[in-house]
Amino acid sequence: EAMASTGRSPALPSLPSAAPAHDDLVTLQKIAAGTALHGGEALFAALVSRLAELLGVGYALLTERVSASSLRALAYQTPDGLQPPAAWDVAGLPCAEVAQGGLCHHPTGLQGRFPRVRSAVGRDVDSYLGAALTAPDGAHLGHLCVMDSGPLPADPRKLALFHIFAARAAAELAQRSLIRTIGENEERLRDLFDEAPIAYVHEGLDSRFIRANRAALRILGVRPDE
């Protein structure tokens, strides 16, 4: 009841130990299938698909932060299957609460609190569980959430499973962000090298030219292919 009134859950509990060993093995196999791929788009699709299956919900959504007020879907599982990429303005959606950090859980009565959910999803949904995905430095990268047409009680096992998938998604988004930043820095350095007014030449250990900037090419009287 406290969670329903505040929209936020307490710290995630540990997995219960009373579940049958066979069920635990099957669950672990499904987690591995949804989180152990190499990465990228294939991982995102597998992750939301397995998450929806394990939690028994109709919707699972992994997004990337575009701005303070909008998110872009990287993978979106619905009862009709995986959906094409889309972007949302978070105003009036529970995603806006998630963007503030932490875990946001509405076990039931979702549309009463967020009427806009009906138009965003296209169907009636009653429950929501979402978490902000952050980089090691605390930067907000996106979010992971699940929704369902029925209630989604605060089951300790389901919350723990959701936490596993959220951690994997956060790690992948952090790597994606780092690669993008490195690429942007490399492009910036290339521009500085090529446009510098001073001649620069990059030589190998055998004294062969590997690359020269425009000033060096002009002074040496050679073309890039030479």
Side-chain angles (χ1 to χ4, degrees), residues 70-114:
S70 62
L71 298 167
R72 181 175 70 88
L74 297 174
Y76 184 26
Q77 178 73 34
T78 76
D80 298 323
L82 287 168
Q83 300 301 305
W88 288 276
D89 184 333
V90 301
L93 298 176
C95 308
E97 287 187 355
V98 174
Q100 298 173 10
L103 194 77
C104 180
H105 185 202
H106 294 280
T108 189
L110 181 67
Q111 288 185 197
R113 298 183 183 91
F114 301 93

Short mmCIF file of all heavy atoms in Angstrom, two decimals, residues 70-114:
data_model
loop_
_atom_site.label_atom_id
_atom_site.label_comp_id
_atom_site.label_asym_id
_atom_site.label_seq_id
_atom_site.Cartn_x
_atom_site.Cartn_y
_atom_site.Cartn_z
N SER A 70 12.38 13.76 -23.31
CA SER A 70 11.99 12.76 -24.31
C SER A 70 12.91 11.54 -24.27
O SER A 70 14.08 11.63 -23.90
CB SER A 70 12.01 13.37 -25.72
OG SER A 70 13.31 13.81 -26.05
N LEU A 71 12.33 10.40 -24.64
CA LEU A 71 13.03 9.12 -24.68
C LEU A 71 12.78 8.46 -26.03
O LEU A 71 11.73 8.64 -26.64
CB LEU A 71 12.51 8.19 -23.57
CG LEU A 71 12.70 8.65 -22.13
CD1 LEU A 71 11.86 7.78 -21.19
CD2 LEU A 71 14.17 8.59 -21.73
N ARG A 72 13.77 7.69 -26.48
CA ARG A 72 13.63 6.95 -27.73
C ARG A 72 13.70 5.46 -27.44
O ARG A 72 14.59 5.00 -26.73
CB ARG A 72 14.74 7.34 -28.71
CG ARG A 72 14.65 6.65 -30.06
CD ARG A 72 15.73 7.19 -31.00
NE ARG A 72 17.07 6.78 -30.59
CZ ARG A 72 17.64 5.64 -30.98
NH1 ARG A 72 16.98 4.80 -31.75
NH2 ARG A 72 18.88 5.36 -30.60
N ALA A 73 12.76 4.71 -28.00
CA ALA A 73 12.73 3.27 -27.77
C ALA A 73 13.85 2.58 -28.53
O ALA A 73 14.01 2.77 -29.73
CB ALA A 73 11.38 2.70 -28.21
N LEU A 74 14.64 1.78 -27.82
CA LEU A 74 15.64 0.92 -28.44
C LEU A 74 15.06 -0.47 -28.70
O LEU A 74 15.48 -1.15 -29.63
CB LEU A 74 16.88 0.82 -27.56
CG LEU A 74 17.63 2.14 -27.33
CD1 LEU A 74 18.75 1.94 -26.34
CD2 LEU A 74 18.18 2.67 -28.65
N ALA A 75 14.12 -0.88 -27.87
CA ALA A 75 13.42 -2.16 -28.05
C ALA A 75 12.11 -2.07 -27.28
O ALA A 75 12.08 -1.62 -26.13
CB ALA A 75 14.26 -3.32 -27.54
N TYR A 76 11.03 -2.52 -27.92
CA TYR A 76 9.70 -2.38 -27.33
C TYR A 76 8.90 -3.65 -27.62
O TYR A 76 8.51 -3.91 -28.75
CB TYR A 76 9.00 -1.16 -27.91
CG TYR A 76 7.64 -0.83 -27.33
CD1 TYR A 76 7.29 -1.22 -26.04
CD2 TYR A 76 6.71 -0.12 -28.07
CE1 TYR A 76 6.06 -0.91 -25.51
CE2 TYR A 76 5.47 0.21 -27.55
CZ TYR A 76 5.15 -0.18 -26.27
OH TYR A 76 3.92 0.12 -25.74
N GLN A 77 8.69 -4.46 -26.58
CA GLN A 77 7.93 -5.70 -26.70
C GLN A 77 6.49 -5.46 -26.26
O GLN A 77 6.24 -4.89 -25.19
CB GLN A 77 8.56 -6.79 -25.83
CG GLN A 77 7.82 -8.12 -25.82
CD GLN A 77 8.01 -8.88 -27.12
OE1 GLN A 77 9.07 -8.81 -27.73
NE2 GLN A 77 6.99 -9.61 -27.54
N THR A 78 5.52 -5.85 -27.09
CA THR A 78 4.10 -5.73 -26.77
C THR A 78 3.43 -7.08 -27.02
O THR A 78 4.07 -8.01 -27.53
CB THR A 78 3.42 -4.66 -27.65
OG1 THR A 78 3.23 -5.20 -28.97
CG2 THR A 78 4.26 -3.39 -27.72
N PRO A 79 2.15 -7.21 -26.68
CA PRO A 79 1.45 -8.47 -26.99
C PRO A 79 1.44 -8.80 -28.49
O PRO A 79 1.25 -9.95 -28.86
CB PRO A 79 0.03 -8.21 -26.47
CG PRO A 79 0.21 -7.22 -25.38
CD PRO A 79 1.31 -6.32 -25.84
N ASP A 80 1.68 -7.80 -29.33
CA ASP A 80 1.74 -8.00 -30.78
C ASP A 80 3.16 -8.25 -31.28
O ASP A 80 3.39 -8.32 -32.49
CB ASP A 80 1.16 -6.78 -31.51
CG ASP A 80 -0.30 -6.55 -31.16
OD1 ASP A 80 -1.03 -7.55 -31.00
OD2 ASP A 80 -0.70 -5.38 -31.02
N GLY A 81 4.13 -8.37 -30.37
CA GLY A 81 5.52 -8.61 -30.75
C GLY A 81 6.36 -7.35 -30.65
O GLY A 81 5.92 -6.32 -30.10
N LEU A 82 7.58 -7.42 -31.16
CA LEU A 82 8.49 -6.27 -31.13
C LEU A 82 7.98 -5.16 -32.05
O LEU A 82 7.55 -5.43 -33.17
CB LEU A 82 9.89 -6.70 -31.56
CG LEU A 82 10.68 -7.52 -30.54
CD1 LEU A 82 11.91 -8.12 -31.21
CD2 LEU A 82 11.08 -6.66 -29.35
N GLN A 83 8.07 -3.94 -31.57
CA GLN A 83 7.57 -2.79 -32.32
C GLN A 83 8.73 -1.97 -32.90
O GLN A 83 9.85 -2.02 -32.40
CB GLN A 83 6.73 -1.89 -31.41
CG GLN A 83 5.53 -2.59 -30.81
CD GLN A 83 4.58 -3.13 -31.87
OE1 GLN A 83 4.13 -2.39 -32.74
NE2 GLN A 83 4.29 -4.42 -31.81
N PRO A 84 8.49 -1.22 -33.97
CA PRO A 84 9.54 -0.38 -34.56
C PRO A 84 9.92 0.76 -33.62
O PRO A 84 9.16 1.09 -32.71
CB PRO A 84 8.89 0.15 -35.85
CG PRO A 84 7.42 0.07 -35.58
CD PRO A 84 7.22 -1.13 -34.71
N PRO A 85 11.10 1.37 -33.83
CA PRO A 85 11.53 2.47 -32.96
C PRO A 85 10.53 3.61 -32.93
O PRO A 85 9.86 3.90 -33.92
CB PRO A 85 12.86 2.91 -33.61
CG PRO A 85 13.32 1.71 -34.36
CD PRO A 85 12.09 1.03 -34.86
N ALA A 86 10.44 4.24 -31.78
CA ALA A 86 9.55 5.39 -31.60
C ALA A 86 10.12 6.28 -30.51
O ALA A 86 11.00 5.86 -29.76
CB ALA A 86 8.14 4.93 -31.25
N ALA A 87 9.63 7.51 -30.43
CA ALA A 87 10.08 8.44 -29.40
C ALA A 87 8.86 8.96 -28.65
O ALA A 87 7.76 9.06 -29.20
CB ALA A 87 10.86 9.59 -30.02
N TRP A 88 9.06 9.28 -27.37
CA TRP A 88 7.97 9.77 -26.53
C TRP A 88 8.41 11.01 -25.76
O TRP A 88 9.55 11.10 -25.30
CB TRP A 88 7.56 8.72 -25.49
CG TRP A 88 6.82 7.56 -26.03
CD1 TRP A 88 5.47 7.46 -26.29
CD2 TRP A 88 7.38 6.29 -26.38
NE1 TRP A 88 5.17 6.22 -26.78
CE2 TRP A 88 6.33 5.48 -26.85
CE3 TRP A 88 8.67 5.77 -26.35
CZ2 TRP A 88 6.52 4.17 -27.27
CZ3 TRP A 88 8.87 4.47 -26.78
CH2 TRP A 88 7.81 3.69 -27.23
N ASP A 89 7.46 11.92 -25.61
CA ASP A 89 7.60 12.99 -24.65
C ASP A 89 7.11 12.44 -23.32
O ASP A 89 6.01 11.91 -23.23
CB ASP A 89 6.73 14.18 -25.09
CG ASP A 89 6.89 15.39 -24.19
OD1 ASP A 89 7.23 15.21 -23.01
OD2 ASP A 89 6.66 16.52 -24.65
N VAL A 90 7.92 12.53 -22.28
CA VAL A 90 7.60 11.86 -21.02
C VAL A 90 6.56 12.60 -20.18
O VAL A 90 6.09 12.06 -19.17
CB VAL A 90 8.87 11.64 -20.17
CG1 VAL A 90 9.87 10.80 -20.93
CG2 VAL A 90 9.50 12.97 -19.77
N ALA A 91 6.19 13.80 -20.56
CA ALA A 91 5.21 14.56 -19.78
C ALA A 91 3.91 13.77 -19.66
O ALA A 91 3.37 13.28 -20.65
CB ALA A 91 4.95 15.91 -20.44
N GLY A 92 3.42 13.63 -18.43
CA GLY A 92 2.17 12.93 -18.20
C GLY A 92 2.29 11.43 -18.19
O GLY A 92 1.27 10.73 -18.13
N LEU A 93 3.51 10.89 -18.27
CA LEU A 93 3.73 9.46 -18.25
C LEU A 93 4.54 9.07 -17.00
O LEU A 93 5.27 9.90 -16.46
CB LEU A 93 4.50 9.01 -19.50
CG LEU A 93 3.81 9.24 -20.85
CD1 LEU A 93 4.75 8.84 -21.98
CD2 LEU A 93 2.51 8.44 -20.93
N PRO A 94 4.41 7.83 -16.54
CA PRO A 94 5.22 7.42 -15.38
C PRO A 94 6.72 7.47 -15.64
O PRO A 94 7.51 7.53 -14.71
CB PRO A 94 4.74 5.98 -15.12
CG PRO A 94 4.10 5.53 -16.39
CD PRO A 94 3.51 6.76 -16.99
N CYS A 95 7.10 7.48 -16.92
CA CYS A 95 8.52 7.61 -17.27
C CYS A 95 9.11 8.90 -16.69
O CYS A 95 10.32 8.96 -16.40
CB CYS A 95 8.70 7.61 -18.78
SG CYS A 95 7.91 6.24 -19.62
N ALA A 96 8.30 9.92 -16.52
CA ALA A 96 8.78 11.17 -15.95
C ALA A 96 9.23 10.97 -14.51
O ALA A 96 10.21 11.57 -14.06
CB ALA A 96 7.70 12.25 -16.03
N GLU A 97 8.53 10.12 -13.77
CA GLU A 97 8.94 9.80 -12.40
C GLU A 97 10.24 9.02 -12.40
O GLU A 97 11.12 9.26 -11.58
CB GLU A 97 7.85 8.98 -11.70
CG GLU A 97 6.61 9.75 -11.32
CD GLU A 97 5.67 8.92 -10.49
OE1 GLU A 97 5.94 7.72 -10.29
OE2 GLU A 97 4.65 9.47 -10.01
N VAL A 98 10.37 8.07 -13.35
CA VAL A 98 11.58 7.26 -13.43
C VAL A 98 12.79 8.13 -13.71
O VAL A 98 13.88 7.90 -13.20
CB VAL A 98 11.43 6.18 -14.52
CG1 VAL A 98 12.73 5.42 -14.71
CG2 VAL A 98 10.31 5.21 -14.15
N ALA A 99 12.61 9.16 -14.54
CA ALA A 99 13.72 10.04 -14.91
C ALA A 99 14.31 10.74 -13.69
O ALA A 99 15.45 11.20 -13.74
CB ALA A 99 13.26 11.06 -15.93
N GLN A 100 13.56 10.80 -12.60
CA GLN A 100 14.06 11.42 -11.38
C GLN A 100 14.97 10.47 -10.61
O GLN A 100 15.61 10.88 -9.63
CB GLN A 100 12.89 11.85 -10.49
CG GLN A 100 11.99 12.88 -11.15
CD GLN A 100 10.76 13.18 -10.33
OE1 GLN A 100 10.64 12.75 -9.17
NE2 GLN A 100 9.82 13.92 -10.91
N GLY A 101 15.05 9.22 -11.06
CA GLY A 101 15.96 8.26 -10.43
C GLY A 101 15.23 7.23 -9.61
O GLY A 101 14.10 7.43 -9.15
N GLY A 102 15.88 6.07 -9.45
CA GLY A 102 15.32 5.03 -8.61
C GLY A 102 14.34 4.14 -9.33
O GLY A 102 14.23 4.15 -10.55
N LEU A 103 13.60 3.36 -8.55
CA LEU A 103 12.62 2.42 -9.05
C LEU A 103 11.23 2.97 -8.84
O LEU A 103 10.92 3.48 -7.76
CB LEU A 103 12.77 1.08 -8.32
CG LEU A 103 12.07 -0.13 -8.92
CD1 LEU A 103 12.85 -0.65 -10.12
CD2 LEU A 103 11.94 -1.22 -7.87
N CYS A 104 10.40 2.93 -9.85
CA CYS A 104 9.03 3.43 -9.78
C CYS A 104 8.07 2.29 -10.02
O CYS A 104 8.16 1.60 -11.04
CB CYS A 104 8.83 4.54 -10.81
SG CYS A 104 7.16 5.24 -10.82
N HIS A 105 7.16 2.05 -9.09
CA HIS A 105 6.25 0.91 -9.18
C HIS A 105 4.82 1.34 -8.89
O HIS A 105 4.52 1.90 -7.84
CB HIS A 105 6.67 -0.17 -8.17
CG HIS A 105 5.87 -1.42 -8.28
ND1 HIS A 105 5.75 -2.32 -7.25
CD2 HIS A 105 5.14 -1.93 -9.31
CE1 HIS A 105 4.99 -3.34 -7.63
NE2 HIS A 105 4.60 -3.12 -8.87
N HIS A 106 3.94 1.11 -9.86
CA HIS A 106 2.51 1.31 -9.68
C HIS A 106 1.85 -0.05 -9.86
O HIS A 106 1.62 -0.49 -11.00
CB HIS A 106 1.97 2.32 -10.69
CG HIS A 106 2.51 3.71 -10.49
ND1 HIS A 106 2.02 4.57 -9.53
CD2 HIS A 106 3.51 4.37 -11.11
CE1 HIS A 106 2.69 5.71 -9.59
NE2 HIS A 106 3.59 5.61 -10.54
N PRO A 107 1.55 -0.76 -8.76
CA PRO A 107 1.03 -2.12 -8.87
C PRO A 107 -0.33 -2.21 -9.57
O PRO A 107 -0.66 -3.23 -10.17
CB PRO A 107 0.92 -2.60 -7.42
CG PRO A 107 1.57 -1.57 -6.59
CD PRO A 107 1.71 -0.34 -7.39
N THR A 108 -1.12 -1.15 -9.49
CA THR A 108 -2.44 -1.13 -10.13
C THR A 108 -2.92 0.32 -10.21
O THR A 108 -2.33 1.23 -9.63
CB THR A 108 -3.46 -1.97 -9.32
OG1 THR A 108 -4.67 -2.11 -10.07
CG2 THR A 108 -3.74 -1.36 -7.96
N GLY A 109 -3.98 0.54 -10.99
CA GLY A 109 -4.55 1.88 -11.09
C GLY A 109 -3.70 2.86 -11.86
O GLY A 109 -3.78 4.08 -11.64
N LEU A 110 -2.90 2.36 -12.82
CA LEU A 110 -1.96 3.23 -13.53
C LEU A 110 -2.67 4.32 -14.32
O LEU A 110 -2.28 5.49 -14.27
CB LEU A 110 -1.09 2.39 -14.46
CG LEU A 110 -0.04 3.16 -15.26
CD1 LEU A 110 1.02 3.72 -14.33
CD2 LEU A 110 0.60 2.28 -16.33
N GLN A 111 -3.69 3.96 -15.07
CA GLN A 111 -4.34 4.95 -15.94
C GLN A 111 -5.10 6.00 -15.16
O GLN A 111 -5.31 7.12 -15.66
CB GLN A 111 -5.27 4.24 -16.93
CG GLN A 111 -4.49 3.51 -18.00
CD GLN A 111 -5.38 2.89 -19.06
OE1 GLN A 111 -4.94 2.03 -19.79
NE2 GLN A 111 -6.62 3.30 -19.16
N GLY A 112 -5.50 5.68 -13.92
CA GLY A 112 -6.13 6.69 -13.09
C GLY A 112 -5.15 7.79 -12.71
O GLY A 112 -5.54 8.95 -12.58
N ARG A 113 -3.88 7.41 -12.55
CA ARG A 113 -2.85 8.39 -12.20
C ARG A 113 -2.26 9.06 -13.44
O ARG A 113 -1.83 10.21 -13.39
CB ARG A 113 -1.74 7.72 -11.40
CG ARG A 113 -2.18 7.12 -10.08
CD ARG A 113 -1.00 6.55 -9.32
NE ARG A 113 -1.40 5.92 -8.08
CZ ARG A 113 -1.71 4.63 -7.96
NH1 ARG A 113 -1.64 3.83 -9.01
NH2 ARG A 113 -2.09 4.13 -6.80
N PHE A 114 -2.20 8.29 -14.54
CA PHE A 114 -1.57 8.80 -15.76
C PHE A 114 -2.50 8.53 -16.96
O PHE A 114 -2.31 7.57 -17.71
CB PHE A 114 -0.21 8.12 -16.00
CG PHE A 114 0.78 8.29 -14.89
CD1 PHE A 114 0.88 7.35 -13.88
CD2 PHE A 114 1.60 9.41 -14.85
CE1 PHE A 114 1.80 7.50 -12.86
CE2 PHE A 114 2.51 9.58 -13.82
CZ PHE A 114 2.60 8.62 -12.83
#
